[in-house]
Amino acid sequence: MGLSHPDPAAAPAPSPVRASDAEREDMVERLRAATAEGRLTLEELAERCEAAYLARTRGELASVGADLPAPAAVPAPGSPAGRRVFRALFDDLTHHSPGLEGGLEATAVLGDVTLDLRASPAPTAGEPTIVARAFLGDVHLLFPEGVRVESDCTSLFGSVRDLTRPHSGPEASTPRIRVTGSALFGDIVLAHPAGDRRTLWREWLDIRRGHAGKDVWGNGT
């Protein structure tokens, strides 16, 4: 009796590979670059960004930019080592006291991300960076007193609202946090708390200024 051979047509088709969040972000950056080059209109940018964030597979994601030039070679997608990532996709996310070592990334897509940094420990070295991206959603960042916030965010049919209060202390001894990113049909809001509460950041600032034995009003403890 002869051996039977499997019918290639009956073999199951390979399952499509799911797209990662980093790959979606790469596509959105590619779309923004194409818009800056005049290849897409603002309306097309908004439509394709939405399609990129909704894409489930790599094939669906690739179709979003199929008519655009191939991107230049870049490192493998992913967040820098040590950066903590917070994403709200079609939902809301609130996180208290995240560590800032290595920086943070907050992305809101049809949802809101709120990061309360008031009790976050001060980084041991360097100036942390927060990358905020708001697409049809909001990113809210609440900073502790005594921290200088430097914002370098862009907006398109959205807004970047810096509600932080200027700090009068010496710049050399004031901890700083840099915020970068973009708001597309969404908002990025930066704010200090309503009151002047003593936090780990305030204690660290007092030590840096040589006032470890005084309270925030200058009185001895």
Side-chain angles (χ1 to χ4, degrees):
M1 185 170 65
L3 296 176
S4 61
H5 298 281
D7 183 1
S15 300
V17 178
R18 292 268 181 164
S20 69
D21 289 337
E23 289 169 334
R24 295 185 186 93
E25 293 294 345
D26 286 346
M27 176 58 73
V28 170
E29 291 301 324
R30 182 180 169 192
L31 295 173
R32 289 172 179 156
T35 303
E37 295 168 352
R39 302 180 190 275
L40 298 176
T41 66
L42 294 179
E43 183 179 9
E44 289 171 328
L45 172 64
E47 292 175 351
R48 295 199 188 197
C49 282
E50 182 178 8
Y53 282 122
L54 292 174
R56 290 178 176 269
T57 66
R58 286 180 173 177
E60 293 175 353
L61 187 59
S63 67
V64 175
D67 58 346
L68 299 176
V74 295
S79 297
R83 177 180 290 176
R84 298 191 63 187
V85 178
F86 301 90
R87 291 190 174 97
L89 304 178
F90 310 100
D91 200 355
D92 296 339
L93 172 67
T94 299
H95 194 87
H96 298 274
S97 311
L100 285 165
E101 296 289 349
L104 302 175
E105 181 179 319
T107 301
V109 180
L110 294 171
D112 295 341
V113 173
T114 301
L115 298 184
D116 185 348
L117 309 172
R118 289 175 295 176
S120 292
T124 56
E127 296 176 359
T129 297
I130 299 176
V131 180
R133 299 186 181 94
F135 177 69
L136 293 173
D138 298 337
V139 174
H140 301 270
L141 303 174
L142 184 60
F143 298 93
E145 289 289 348
V147 171
R148 191 187 306 274
V149 179
E150 294 186 354
S151 174
D152 185 20
C153 298
T154 60
S155 62
L156 177 63
F157 300 114
S159 67
V160 179
R161 291 184 287 167
D162 188 350
L163 306 180
T164 59
R165 292 183 289 274
H167 191 63
S168 59
E171 183 173 348
S173 62
T174 302
R176 291 186 295 181
I177 297 178
R178 186 166 178 259
V179 182
T180 65
S182 58
L184 179 63
F185 295 99
D187 296 332
I188 298 175
V189 182
L190 319 175
H192 279 135
D196 188 7
R197 299 172 55 193
R198 188 179 182 85
T199 64
L200 294 175
W201 282 88
R202 172 63 69 180
E203 294 173 1
W204 180 82
L205 182 60
D206 289 343
I207 293 173
R208 285 285 297 270
R209 292 178 179 174
H211 297 301
K214 298 181 180 181
D215 62 21
V216 292
W217 304 109
N219 300 316
T221 55

